[in-house]
Amino acid sequence: MTAIDLSSPVAVVGTGTMGQGIAQVALVAGHPVRLYDSVAGRARDAAEAIGARLDRLVEKGRLDGAARDAARARLRPADGLAELADCALVVEAVLERLDVKQQLFGELEEIVAEDCLLATNTSSLSVTAIGGPLRHPGRLVGLHFFNPAPLLPLVEVVSGFATDVTSATRAYETARAWGKTPVACADTPGFIVNRIARPFYAEAFAVHEAQGADPATIDAVLRECGGFRMGAFELTDLIGQDVNESVTHSVWQSFFQDVRFTPSLSQRRLVESGRLGRKTGRGWYDYGDGAERPEPHTADKEQPPAYVVAEGGLGPAAELLTMIREAGIQVRAEDEDSGSRLVLPGGGQLVLADGQTSVEFRDVVYFDLALDYRTATRIALSASQDTSSRTLAEAVGLFQALGKDVSVIGDVPGMIVARTVARIIDLAHDAVAKGVATEEDVDTAMRLGVNYPLGPCEWNRRLPRGWAYDLLDEVHERDPSGRYAPSLALYRHSSTDPREGTA
């Protein structure tokens, strides 16, 4: 099954931001496009807005004048659904209400030809439920674009329970012909991106609620240590707290209130207070005139230790040993078989986050996982009130000698980056095991949909086998709510070695 022919008209119903964006994508690809909105006059306003955006593309040199004029000639507002009768594809981008979408597709089914492909851009509703009342639900598919649709490459092509393979394939090939990067997924709550991305927000909020660190520090650690484009607090302020919480709540409810997706009480309070982020001038941060962005906690300058004793290879933090030597600090008695820690001159230990807490040990400082320790500009350390001041000072000084800013957070099991990454990896492998999508499509979706520095399955392959499972298992022991219980899929993945062909 091939993509819809460029000579065939495409219709978009609903002319808000997403509807206009999808229409622009189809238009620039070469299709005649019909715009319809139930509110009189909106379709014509949307056509004018799309025309203005095409003008800006010409001004920026991204579209030539002749192509702009041809695209404008192919764009037509429709006064009624009947004018969509000859369309080969109708994409709806209307209100996120099941009854509204069901009614619309029921009306369209009476108008369009039997071979017309119907698509919903829903981000939170079940494609299966939307198509349930249709006489021919096999031709309904999800085409979930990301905002802004003309710029972001990812499209989730969602097959409902009744979606025909030919319909899904046709939608997939059409999205690819439009210059997008499609990924195929089953109809599951949140699809790929909104399902697997939940821990990125949830763990940041949980660390904050536990008084582990303030939003500015958590955001800085996620960016400067974890390699994420934005921190969770600034990103949800950009998305809108109401929008982000609504998606989280929808996924949680759709999974029968699975504790792994439990919404954040502190985010609920933000929404209740009307602090929705940038669009209202205040969310986690204040965006009012003259407001100053809070700075992350950064430790004062400390003297580096004269030496460290390396016990073990430090696993995913092995590069630190080379960096420590390069900084002129002696590394003594490196023993690959005696654990994985650094012993400081005062006798305290520096250990990579493993899901345990500092208070459990005599004198331990934990350090967080980094995407790349060499390029990371900030490292988080975790200590308890019983940790000696000398050990903490030596740990701070060590990382400062490596050119890092250091943020000291509370005694949080799994810290910030480590447990966030572990939970994302867990949900990714759980989704793959349940047939939601392939590992390749999961990784593509998370890199392109939310700008993760690595896809979660790729990230897991870079870490020691079993690392994510072991960390979550330790956190689960300390928080037996079920939130951190590693999935059976991650257990199976961690218990086999794909390099031996047994995964």
Side-chain angles (χ1 to χ4, degrees):
M1 180 63 67
T2 57
I4 293 171
D5 190 89
L6 290 179
S7 64
S8 300
V10 169
V12 178
V13 179
T15 58
T17 301
M18 285 304 303
Q20 290 183 32
I22 295 167
Q24 181 178 329
V25 171
L27 192 64
V28 172
H31 289 276
V33 173
R34 311 277 169 75
L35 283 173
Y36 174 75
D37 198 290
S38 60
V39 178
R42 280 191 180 173
R44 296 187 184 281
D45 291 342
E48 291 179 5
I50 292 170
R53 283 199 289 272
L54 295 178
D55 288 340
R56 288 196 290 273
L57 289 177
V58 173
E59 292 170 3
K60 295 177 180 179
R62 298 176 184 172
L63 189 70
D64 64 52
R68 183 265 319 274
D69 295 342
R72 279 189 161 185
R74 294 193 303 271
L75 181 60
R76 195 183 90 194
D79 294 322
L81 288 177
E83 296 179 43
L84 313 184
D86 63 337
C87 290
L89 167 63
V90 180
V91 184
E92 72 79 12
V94 301
L95 190 65
E96 280 286 275
R97 275 180 43 188
L98 181 61
D99 58 336
V100 172
K101 294 179 187 291
Q102 288 177 331
Q103 181 179 346
L104 170 62
F105 282 116
E107 294 173 2
L108 285 169
E109 196 172 36
E110 301 298 324
I111 295 169
V112 299
E114 290 186 2
D115 62 349
C116 175
L117 185 64
L118 301 178
T120 173
N121 184 57
T122 185
S123 61
S124 60
L125 299 176
S126 165
V127 173
T128 302
I130 293 171
L134 295 178
R135 293 195 310 275
H136 304 291
R139 62 171 163 172
L140 179 71
V141 66
L143 274 180
H144 181 216
F145 288 77
F146 288 74
N147 190 34
L151 297 180
L152 295 185
L154 184 68
V155 177
E156 292 178 319
V157 181
V158 186
S159 293
F161 186 78
T163 302
D164 293 334
V165 173
T166 53
S167 297
T169 303
R170 194 178 187 199
Y172 185 98
E173 294 300 332
T174 297
R176 185 157 62 179
W178 290 357
K180 296 301 181 182
T181 302
V183 292
C185 65
D187 184 21
T188 184
F191 309 141
I192 300 175
V193 172
N194 281 330
R195 172 179 177 153
I196 296 173
R198 298 345 294 164
F200 179 74
Y201 314 109
E203 293 313 306
F205 299 160
V207 171
H208 173 55
E209 290 171 358
Q211 303 295 299
D214 61 278
T217 299
I218 297 169
D219 277 354
V221 172
L222 286 168
R223 286 193 317 268
E224 300 171 36
C225 182
F228 292 95
R229 186 73 59 86
M230 298 179 73
F233 297 91
E234 58 189 343
L235 180 55
T236 52
D237 269 357
L238 178 63
I239 294 169
Q241 298 301 331
D242 53 338
V243 174
N244 182 261
E245 192 213 26
S246 176
V247 173
T248 299
H249 195 270
S250 174
V251 172
W252 176 63
Q253 290 283 21
S254 297
F255 276 112
F256 307 105
Q257 299 185 358
D258 186 330
V259 68
R260 295 176 301 167
F261 302 101
T262 301
S264 161
L265 181 59
S266 59
Q267 187 179 41
R268 176 93 289 262
R269 292 293 179 257
L270 273 186
V271 174
E272 289 173 339
S273 67
R275 297 181 178 184
L276 306 183
R278 288 181 180 271
K279 61 187 177 183
T280 60
R282 190 164 185 180
W284 294 108
Y285 300 112
D286 187 349
Y287 300 94
D289 292 341
E292 294 185 5
R293 180 70 173 266
E295 293 294 324
H297 167 75
T298 302
D300 292 336
K301 185 70 175 175
E302 299 284 357
Q303 289 297 315
Y307 67 91
V308 295
V309 178
E311 297 184 351
L314 297 187
E319 179 68 11
L320 285 175
L321 295 176
T322 301
M323 294 168 61
I324 291 169
R325 293 188 182 96
E326 291 173 350
I329 299 172
Q330 184 182 10
V331 177
R332 296 180 181 174
E334 189 172 330
D335 184 347
E336 296 290 341
D337 299 318
S338 61
S340 186
R341 64 185 66 85
L342 295 176
V343 180
L344 299 165
Q349 298 179 19
L350 188 57
V351 182
L352 175 63
D354 59 8
Q356 300 183 79
T357 55
S358 180
V359 74
E360 301 171 52
F361 304 98
R362 185 180 64 82
D363 200 11
V364 167
V365 172
Y366 280 102
F367 65 97
D368 211 345
L369 179 72
L371 174 69
D372 183 332
Y373 284 99
R374 189 166 289 277
T375 60
T377 57
R378 182 178 298 273
I379 295 292
L381 301 181
S382 175
S384 75
Q385 59 185 8
D386 296 328
T387 304
S388 74
S389 58
R390 176 176 176 178
T391 294
L392 183 57
E394 287 177 341
V396 169
L398 175 65
F399 280 103
Q400 288 174 339
L402 304 185
K404 317 299 182 187
D405 287 328
V406 176
S407 293
V408 179
I409 69 170
D411 193 14
V412 178
M415 301 193 68
I416 299 172
V417 178
R419 82 182 198 187
T420 298
V421 169
R423 286 207 62 215
I424 290 170
I425 287 171
D426 184 44
L427 289 189
H429 283 287
D430 183 53
V432 171
K434 291 176 178 173
V436 174
T438 64
E439 286 192 11
E440 181 182 2
D441 278 353
V442 165
D443 282 352
T444 297
M446 302 313 291
R447 283 189 291 101
L448 298 183
V450 278
N451 287 315
Y452 283 5
L454 292 172
C457 298
E458 179 188 1
W459 212 328
N460 194 37
R461 288 190 293 271
R462 287 182 46 168
L463 293 165
R465 184 161 57 95
W467 178 88
Y469 179 90
D470 291 342
L471 183 138
L472 290 176
D473 196 42
E474 293 286 358
V475 179
H476 173 60
E477 184 177 329
R478 288 149 183 81
D479 179 0
S481 63
R483 177 189 183 105
Y484 299 100
S487 67
L488 177 60
L490 187 60
Y491 171 76
R492 286 173 170 160
H493 194 275
S494 302
S495 300
T496 57
D497 190 344
R499 291 167 296 185
E500 297 175 356
T502 57

